[in-house]
Amino acid sequence: MESLSILIGGRAGDGIDQASLLIGKLLNQLGFRIYIYRDYPSLIRGGHTFSIVRAAREKLGAHRQTVDFICALNQDCLDNHRDKIHGRTVVLYDSDVVKGTGLALPLTSMVKAAGGPEIVRNTAMLGGLAKALGLPWEKFEKVARENLKKETEINIQLARKGYNAAETFYKIEEQKKPVLPLVTGNEALALGLASAGLDAYISYPMTPSSTILHFLAQRAEALNMKVIHPESELAVIMMALGFAYAGQKTAVGTSGGGFCLMTEGLSFAGMAELPMVIVLGQRPGPSTGLPTYSSQTELMFALWAGQGEFTRLIVAPGDAEEAYYWGGVALRLAWKYQLPAIILTDKNIAEGTYSFDLKNIKRFPEEQSLFWDGSGEYKRYLATASGISPLAFPGEAGATIKVNSYEHEEDGVTTEDQRITRKMQEKRLRKGVALLKEIDELEAVKVYGKQAARTAVVCWGSTKHLCLEAAEKLEVRVVMPLVLSPLPLTQLKKALQGVAQIIAVEDNATAQLAQLLKGAGIKVDAVILTYDGRPETVEQLEERIARGMK
């Protein structure tokens, strides 16, 4: 078995998310590497929601065109996903509400007879799935009891009924690999920020970044961290500026609409040299767009947001492990260079669930912030060769810390003097030169696939694993920049040496990465763009790349 895919679907409110996570945890206990894709409308109840759980021997982060099991809790699930059926696909369905062929399980009747709530149909379905996968009941019950904290006994009872009513179609072999934790991209990012020393997280909920707020709020005491949900995104960014002024390592989370409101504060941070991290979870726009779906449409916005010219760090991780690492790096570098850092994610990474291996993650750069040594008069904006001024914070003896969003002198006092204006602007921009030097010492561009291939697929963010699987079959090179500002041009050119054709793969309609590369002198020959909010399958991308290859 190369990989196993299981789709479970029903109405919003049928417990699809929890059911898919339980499937993932069950297969995870067998040593498989897991990726879970979630698809749901912007509704509390109703509509159609589904998840695809994919398990394989090796790390993965994309789904394929067909699935091996469909678990249908309503008719929409079966009708909407008939194109995902292959010759050996097994369809499990609630025969009380779905007309289909396959393994019929009267789940609604079972639940009514047991006096359970309707939502328990999902657990009864999972019991049937465990039998269909050839798993022993004891294995399923152990995982279910560890994860079903509410209505445990009725859940176990109904799962057993589903198990007894099903039959076995596959025999899943246990993998001889260590069991890894399952985390979402947002959870990994939150842990990376916390590990790098985050003191405060501030956010107004906005999909797909909201779960960072929920995750950190539940662990604020254990992490010794302040987690705050103010009344708006304007309040979020202004509060973050205050925390940074007071010496607290701070991050905020939002999506496109919220980031629009934050741009004034972003410019403030650029002029006042107040460090902060902004997690920008991308989703289709303009405006509210498709709030629960995915896109890569904010690269140009992040590059140019805010008035005036100032250096910013922008990183774009491609899975949970990269979200952890680059979350920590962004925080460390934001503080070292005293500037805003933006972490671009999207719904596919933020809410996708991955097997997470901490051993694969490099150490963060050491803490290297420049602090005032207490001698002489303190100047918050002292002009240095690197542009980085020594830090001091309110309450420090002998230091008056004046920050200013107006142009200012070295001590922070407002000025409109021409000579000083030039001097301070050049000081701020010098930090970008120093930052790029440090970026060049990190692995800011990754190369995968066939290293000697003359065709290279260039991608960023959540398209990473999709491109990796497609490239394996087509034997092309994959080049993935993880830092997008300042652009690591030296590493990019080295990664593209010997390439005769560059194909950019992006989830937007205007090829934003290709535009960025063109501005840096790298010509992209073809683009493959997706802009319907849904990720492509591996087979769809393989076909499009093959069609475009010279």
Side-chain angles (χ1 to χ4, degrees):
M1 184 192 69
E2 183 187 342
S3 69
L4 175 76
S5 293
I6 299 167
L7 185 150
I8 182 167
R11 300 165 301 175
D14 277 344
I16 300 302
D17 188 28
Q18 287 304 310
S20 62
L21 187 57
L22 192 60
I23 295 170
K25 288 183 174 181
L26 181 62
L27 295 170
N28 186 50
Q29 287 300 313
L30 300 175
F32 286 99
R33 301 299 175 248
I34 306 297
Y35 172 65
I36 304 176
Y37 166 72
R38 300 177 62 208
D39 192 302
Y40 60 96
S42 177
L43 297 169
I44 302 298
R45 286 192 173 276
H48 177 57
T49 177
F50 69 95
S51 294
I52 299 176
V53 182
R54 192 164 170 226
R57 295 189 182 93
E58 305 300 331
K59 185 178 174 183
L60 72 168
H63 62 271
R64 302 193 74 90
Q65 186 66 35
T66 57
V67 298
D68 304 298
F69 287 87
I70 292 179
C71 301
L73 286 167
N74 69 356
Q75 191 66 47
D76 282 349
C77 178
L78 188 53
D79 293 344
N80 290 345
H81 300 292
R82 289 188 188 279
D83 64 336
K84 296 182 177 63
I85 293 175
H86 62 67
R88 292 191 62 206
T89 299
V90 179
V91 178
L92 291 76
Y93 61 98
D94 181 352
S95 55
D96 292 322
V97 296
V98 179
K99 291 181 180 177
T101 55
L103 180 53
L105 300 170
L107 303 179
T108 300
S109 302
M110 286 181 192
V111 171
K112 280 184 180 175
E118 185 185 5
I119 195 171
V120 181
R121 286 191 311 142
N122 61 7
T123 318
M125 175 70 85
L126 296 190
L129 176 66
K131 182 72 168 290
L133 288 167
L135 299 175
W137 166 253
E138 293 74 19
K139 177 73 75 176
F140 175 84
E141 183 178 4
K142 180 175 184 298
V143 175
R145 284 192 180 280
E146 287 171 354
N147 290 280
L148 297 171
K149 303 302 182 188
K150 293 182 180 176
E151 309 267 11
T152 305
E153 293 310 317
I154 190 71
N155 270 295
I156 296 296
Q157 180 187 341
L158 267 300
R160 183 75 206 208
K161 286 181 180 294
Y163 189 91
N164 291 341
E167 54 188 294
T168 298
F169 292 86
Y170 284 71
K171 185 65 179 174
I172 303 301
E173 300 293 335
E174 194 159 341
Q175 304 297 301
K176 294 179 180 176
K177 289 193 169 188
V179 175
L180 298 176
L182 296 183
V183 300
T184 66
N186 271 351
E187 290 168 349
L189 176 52
L191 291 170
L193 289 167
S195 298
L198 189 71
D199 296 305
Y201 184 78
I202 310 165
S203 181
Y204 184 83
M206 197 166 183
T207 305
S209 62
S210 304
T211 53
I212 301 175
L213 178 65
H214 305 156
F215 182 80
L216 288 176
Q218 290 170 352
R219 294 159 180 81
E221 188 174 342
L223 295 171
N224 192 27
M225 183 186 299
K226 299 172 187 67
V227 180
I228 302 172
H229 168 188
E231 72 275 18
S232 72
E233 284 89 352
L234 289 172
V236 166
I237 195 77
M238 300 314 289
M239 195 176 281
L241 292 169
F243 269 100
Y245 170 70
Q248 300 282 290
K249 290 189 173 72
T250 307
V252 307
T254 189
S255 185
F259 188 60
C260 287
L261 297 172
M262 292 182 179
T263 54
E264 174 75 20
L266 177 69
S267 293
F268 193 126
M271 174 58 94
E273 302 185 48
L274 289 168
M276 69 173 67
V277 170
I278 300 172
V279 180
L280 174 50
Q282 300 168 100
R283 66 192 203 192
S287 192
T288 306
L290 301 174
T292 60
Y293 291 93
S294 196
S295 74
Q296 295 181 319
T297 50
E298 317 296 12
L299 172 55
M300 287 297 162
F301 186 23
L303 283 166
W304 307 117
Q307 69 272 35
E309 300 166 304
F310 59 95
T311 303
R312 66 198 73 190
L313 171 67
I314 300 177
V315 302
D319 55 27
E321 286 160 2
E322 289 178 355
Y324 179 95
Y325 176 73
W326 285 100
V329 172
L331 185 63
R332 291 271 168 95
L333 295 184
W335 270 82
K336 179 176 179 180
Y337 293 93
Q338 301 165 35
L339 46 73
I342 299 169
I343 302 174
L344 284 172
T345 69
D346 58 48
K347 183 253 183 182
N348 292 336
I349 289 181
E351 297 185 354
T353 300
Y354 302 81
S355 296
F356 183 77
D357 193 348
L358 196 58
K359 292 202 297 293
N360 287 340
I361 301 173
K362 293 181 180 176
R363 293 170 64 90
F364 302 138
E366 294 297 322
E367 290 261 13
Q368 293 179 323
S369 297
L370 178 62
F371 295 103
W372 182 50
D373 61 7
S375 61
E377 179 190 0
Y378 179 67
K379 292 183 177 180
R380 173 64 189 91
Y381 300 113
L382 181 69
T384 62
S386 66
I388 302 171
S389 307
L391 283 168
F393 303 109
E396 206 160 326
T400 300
I401 299 109
K402 182 172 174 56
V403 299
N404 198 338
S405 69
Y406 215 103
E407 188 54 275
H408 44 259
E409 301 180 5
E410 288 180 293
D411 58 7
V413 173
T414 296
T415 184
E416 293 184 342
D417 180 273
Q418 288 174 285
R419 184 187 61 80
I420 296 175
T421 297
R422 279 197 301 275
K423 174 184 172 182
M424 299 310 288
Q425 177 66 355
E426 289 165 2
K427 166 220 172 334
R428 290 189 291 269
L429 293 180
R430 279 201 299 278
K431 293 193 293 184
V433 177
L435 174 62
L436 183 56
K437 270 187 190 172
E438 180 150 357
I439 293 294
D440 276 337
E441 293 172 6
L442 303 174
E443 192 177 18
V445 178
K446 286 196 172 180
V447 183
Y448 301 95
K450 188 176 180 181
Q451 307 286 310
R454 298 273 287 165
T455 295
V457 169
V458 179
C459 64
W460 60 290
S462 67
T463 56
K464 169 186 171 180
H465 285 279
L466 183 64
C467 291
L468 296 193
E469 282 202 52
E472 189 175 350
K473 180 177 179 181
L474 299 171
E475 297 191 330
V476 298
R477 195 185 311 184
V478 176
V479 175
M480 179 189 173
L482 284 143
V483 178
L484 298 169
S485 179
L487 193 65
L489 197 53
T490 302
Q491 289 191 41
L492 264 172
K493 288 183 175 176
K494 184 178 178 185
L496 291 167
Q497 275 180 357
V499 168
Q501 182 189 24
I502 299 175
I503 301 173
V505 174
E506 303 187 53
D507 282 345
N508 57 58
T510 56
Q512 298 191 15
L513 177 62
Q515 291 182 54
L516 178 63
L517 295 180
K518 182 180 178 183
I522 298 175
K523 179 177 174 291
V524 172
D525 301 286
V527 295
I528 295 176
L529 307 176
T530 305
Y531 38 89
D532 58 10
R534 281 74 170 175
E536 284 194 293
T537 65
V538 174
E539 290 86 348
Q540 287 170 334
L541 184 61
E542 282 174 357
E543 184 185 340
R544 294 178 77 181
I545 293 174
R547 211 164 49 219
M549 287 174 66
K550 292 177 182 173

